[in-house]
């Protein structure tokens, strides 16, 4: 919810008046960053398209892709602020050898993990029972705690050596890395290589059918993909399209990949790789990984050519996972 975001409300109020004036007068305003915004600010752009539907419904004015991209900038900023706020988790530091050692641990975490001092709480073991654990990620302790706590306890060295630092960093980025092993979001049965498709509609129906069958989705999934495609093209550049449904209530992100022997006309340009994505209701690690993979294919030389030449599932995964940390 953006209900409490006064800055977003203000920026939209300032933006909408001239926007509506341009639409009423039929003045087209080109957005030189359109392709970049569609590619790199996907969720902000989706929200802008929702806003465009409201304007169409209430005022009978059609918002162009260029104008929607300008609106997306405001939503993307609001999303980034919300994400940074959500990422702020407190860590409670308990040290047996005194407050000086606890302060040293606190300082090292501030420098290494870019954490704020107010999010690193110093506590004695006796004060733990008074602590609020609702927004606490974990407790760092330099000795074993026999008291049961509602959050994980990490035992670290009082000097906060490299091993201890790596333990904390590993915990903070403990989200599943969906690019590897059994957790791959792109499953072998949903990767189709060097196929032939006559046009965009055939490619979409092929992939939607495969994803519906594999994930147990209803036929409304295909309808939602075509509804989203009608609002704005899902080409993201570099010969790649990333179609997705207008609405999807799934709990986890799912995807299917299609590469083509010959490119097909998508909207304004030709596409030779199609990555169909059903994003989960809450952004998960799989969605972030897919976004990174798409950006790599669009922007880094050589990756798309290698993907189009790939002849096996493992080869595709190797290309997309290359360079992961």
């Amino acid at each position: 919810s953006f209900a409490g975001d006064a800055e977003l409300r203000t920026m939209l109020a300032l933006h909408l008046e001239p926007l509506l004036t341009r639409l009423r007068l039929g003045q087209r305003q080109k957005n030189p960053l359109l392709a970049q915004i569609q590619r790199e600010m996907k969720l902000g752009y989706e929200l802008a398209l929702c806003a465009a539907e409201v304007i169409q419904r209430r005022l009978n004015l059609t918002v162009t892709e260029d104008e929607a991209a300008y609106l997306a900038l405001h939503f993307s900023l609001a999303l980034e602020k919300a994400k940074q706020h959500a990422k702020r988790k407190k860590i409670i530091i308990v040290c047996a050898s005194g407050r000086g050692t606890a302060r040293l641990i606190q300082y090292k975490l501030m420098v290494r993990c870019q954490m704020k001092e107010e999010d690193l709480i110093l506590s004695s073991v006796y004060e733990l029972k008074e602590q609020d654990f609702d927004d606490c990620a974990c407790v760092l302790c330099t000795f074993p705690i026999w008291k049961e706590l509602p959050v994980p306890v990490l035992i670290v060295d009082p000097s906060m050596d490299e091993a201890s630092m790596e333990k904390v960093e590993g915990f903070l980025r403990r989200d599943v890395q969906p690019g590897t092993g059994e957790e791959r979001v792109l499953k072998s049965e949903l990767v189709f290589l060097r196929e032939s498709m006559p046009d965009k509609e055939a490619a979409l129906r092929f992939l939607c059918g495969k994803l519906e069958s594999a994930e147990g989705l209803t036929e409304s999934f295909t309808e939602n993909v075509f509804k989203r495609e009608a609002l704005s093209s899902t080409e993201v550049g570099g010969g790649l399209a990333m179609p997705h449904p207008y609405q999807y209530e799934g709990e986890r992100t799912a995807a299917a990949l299609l590469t083509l022997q010959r490119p097909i006309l998508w909207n304004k340009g030709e596409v030779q790789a199609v990555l169909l994505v059903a994003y989960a209701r809450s952004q998960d690690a799989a969605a972030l990984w897919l976004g990174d993979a798409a950006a790599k294919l669009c922007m880094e030389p050589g990756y798309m050519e290698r993907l189009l030449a790939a002849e096996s599932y493992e080869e595709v995964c190797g290309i997309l996972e290359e360079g992961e940390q």
Side-chain angles (χ1 to χ4, degrees):
S1 172
F2 293 121
D5 193 332
E7 182 181 1
L8 175 62
R9 185 184 295 270
T10 301
M11 296 307 294
L12 288 176
L14 292 171
H15 187 100
L16 280 172
E17 193 60 41
L19 165 63
L20 296 177
T21 299
R22 288 194 298 273
L23 296 181
R24 291 189 181 104
L25 296 177
Q27 296 176 341
R28 294 187 66 86
Q29 177 153 307
K30 296 294 290 181
N31 190 328
L33 299 176
L34 174 61
Q36 184 178 352
I37 290 170
Q38 289 175 325
R39 182 174 61 244
E40 299 176 15
M41 304 180 185
K42 295 183 189 67
L43 185 51
Y45 188 71
E46 295 298 311
L47 292 172
L49 291 178
C50 293
E53 274 204 307
V54 174
I55 293 172
Q56 170 73 44
R57 187 170 64 248
R58 295 192 180 184
L59 303 176
N60 199 29
L61 296 171
T62 301
V63 179
T64 65
E65 285 187 344
D66 294 280
E67 291 285 13
Y70 282 118
L71 276 175
L73 294 171
H74 300 301
F75 288 116
S76 294
L77 176 60
L79 285 166
E80 190 61 31
K81 289 193 304 180
K83 185 167 68 175
Q84 292 301 321
H85 179 75
K87 278 168 57 178
R88 284 189 62 185
K89 284 274 192 179
K90 292 182 169 57
I91 290 179
I92 297 175
I93 302 170
V94 182
C95 186
S97 54
R99 206 166 183 85
T101 305
R103 284 285 294 169
L104 175 63
I105 295 173
Q106 182 187 51
Y107 175 76
K108 286 191 172 184
L109 288 172
M110 288 167 58
V111 173
R112 179 80 166 255
C113 301
Q114 287 82 53
M115 296 189 70
K116 296 181 181 295
E117 184 174 356
E118 58 266 30
D119 294 332
L120 295 165
I121 301 166
L122 307 185
S123 171
S124 70
V125 70
Y126 306 106
E127 293 170 332
L128 278 176
K129 61 183 178 183
E130 309 295 335
Q131 297 291 347
D132 179 6
F133 292 98
D134 285 347
D135 56 351
C136 177
C138 65
V139 171
L140 297 189
C141 194
T142 58
F143 59 96
I145 293 181
W146 305 113
K147 178 182 176 62
E148 189 171 333
L149 298 176
V151 296
V153 176
L154 303 184
I155 306 299
V156 296
D157 189 88
S159 66
M160 202 59 186
D161 58 10
E162 188 62 24
S164 296
M165 191 63 75
E166 288 178 0
K167 180 189 290 188
V168 175
E169 287 179 324
F171 176 82
L172 293 176
R173 60 169 183 265
R174 68 192 182 280
D175 288 337
V176 172
Q177 295 298 317
T180 57
E182 296 180 358
E183 298 297 336
R184 278 176 175 155
V185 65
L186 269 177
K187 296 185 169 50
S188 58
E189 63 269 26
L190 289 171
V191 173
F192 309 95
L193 303 176
R194 304 178 64 78
E195 300 277 349
S196 293
M197 293 287 160
D199 52 32
K200 166 184 170 180
E201 181 174 348
L204 281 175
R205 291 197 181 280
F206 173 81
L207 277 183
C208 287
K210 295 296 185 182
L211 199 58
E212 283 178 355
S213 176
E215 297 292 331
L217 307 176
T218 65
E219 291 183 2
S220 64
F221 176 78
T222 299
E223 295 171 12
N224 270 291
V225 169
F226 277 92
K227 178 179 180 180
R228 168 60 186 84
E229 198 67 38
L231 293 175
S232 175
S233 174
T234 52
E235 297 167 80
V236 293
L240 176 69
M242 283 188 72
H244 48 277
Y246 181 76
Q247 281 185 311
Y248 176 66
E249 296 300 317
E251 295 292 338
R252 64 184 185 86
T253 296
L257 174 68
L258 169 69
T259 66
L260 301 166
Q261 293 183 24
R262 292 180 299 279
I264 56 176
L265 180 65
W266 200 259
N267 185 29
K268 297 175 184 176
E270 291 188 328
V271 159
Q272 203 167 352
V274 184
L275 182 60
L276 173 64
V277 182
Y279 290 108
R281 282 183 294 180
S282 299
Q283 181 167 264
D284 53 11
L288 296 173
W289 181 82
L290 286 167
D292 290 343
K296 181 193 299 182
L297 291 171
C298 292
M299 302 172 69
E300 297 188 28
Y303 277 101
M304 179 59 79
E305 288 81 358
R306 290 168 57 196
L307 178 69
L308 296 177
E311 296 182 350
S312 71
Y313 170 69
E314 289 302 328
E315 194 176 350
V316 167
C317 292
I319 294 166
L320 297 181
E321 293 165 13
E322 195 171 299
E324 284 186 18
Q325 298 300 315

